[in-house]
Amino acid sequence: RGSDRGYEMTPRALLLAALVATATALAPAPRSAACSSRIVSSSSPSTRRAAIFTAGAAVLSLGAAGAKADSIEDIAARANAAAAAAREAKAKEDEKDRSDEADPKNLVYGALAGSVVLSLPFYWKNVARLAIKLTGGGSGYDKIK
C-alpha cells in the first residue's frame, strides 16, 4: 500500500524527528573565543534559533518531499466502497435480527394457553361437568362431585 502512495510521515518518525530537533536545539554550544567575548556574528549557524529553524525545515521537507496526494476520484471511490460495505453489513445484521424475532401473535397465544393450563386445576370440575352436559349425559352434577 505504501509503495504506490509515496512517502508518508508516520507518527513514530515524526516523533523521532521532533526529538532530534529538540535535542539539537537545546544542546549546549561549544565555547569558542567569539562566544566567550560576547561577540557573535549574525551569520553564525550555532545558535539555538538557527538549529530549531534548520530542524523544522528538515522535518517539513521530509513530509512534503515524498507526499503524494490522492485524487478526488480515488478518495470518493474508497469512501463509496466503505459505505457500500457498511450498508451490506447492516442489511445482514437486520435480516438476522428479523429472523431471530418471534412473531408477536405467537407470544400472546402462548401466554394465553399457559395461563389457561396453569389455572385449570382450580376449575377442572366445572369443565368436566360442562363436557358431560354437552355430550348429553345429563346435568353432570350427579356424576362429578
Side-chain angles (χ1 to χ4, degrees):
R1 182 177 177 188
S3 62
D4 63 344
R5 297 181 69 194
Y7 179 79
E8 289 185 12
M9 186 72 112
T10 62
R12 185 176 285 178
L14 186 63
L15 183 64
L16 181 64
L19 181 67
V20 168
T22 305
T24 305
L26 298 178
R31 299 277 253 172
S32 66
C35 288
S36 65
S37 64
R38 305 259 183 210
I39 302 172
V40 178
S41 67
S42 62
S43 63
S44 174
S46 64
T47 63
R48 288 184 184 177
R49 184 175 290 169
I52 289 176
F53 177 75
T54 305
V59 168
L60 289 177
S61 68
L62 282 176
K68 177 186 167 211
D70 293 337
S71 68
I72 293 176
E73 291 83 15
D74 293 339
I75 295 169
R78 280 196 307 256
N80 288 339
R87 278 192 303 268
E88 289 175 9
K90 185 175 183 195
K92 286 181 184 179
E93 184 178 316
D94 289 345
E95 183 179 323
K96 183 180 176 185
D97 287 345
R98 274 189 246 126
S99 66
D100 289 345
E101 288 181 7
D103 187 24
K105 288 182 182 178
N106 290 340
L107 184 63
V108 170
Y109 293 146
L112 181 64
S115 65
V116 168
V117 168
L118 289 175
S119 63
L120 191 61
F122 298 109
Y123 61 90
W124 71 272
K125 289 184 180 181
N126 291 336
V127 174
R129 288 186 192 114
L130 179 63
I132 292 171
K133 188 173 185 181
L134 290 177
T135 57
S139 66
Y141 283 104
D142 54 347
K143 296 180 180 161
I144 305 282
K145 296 202 182 203

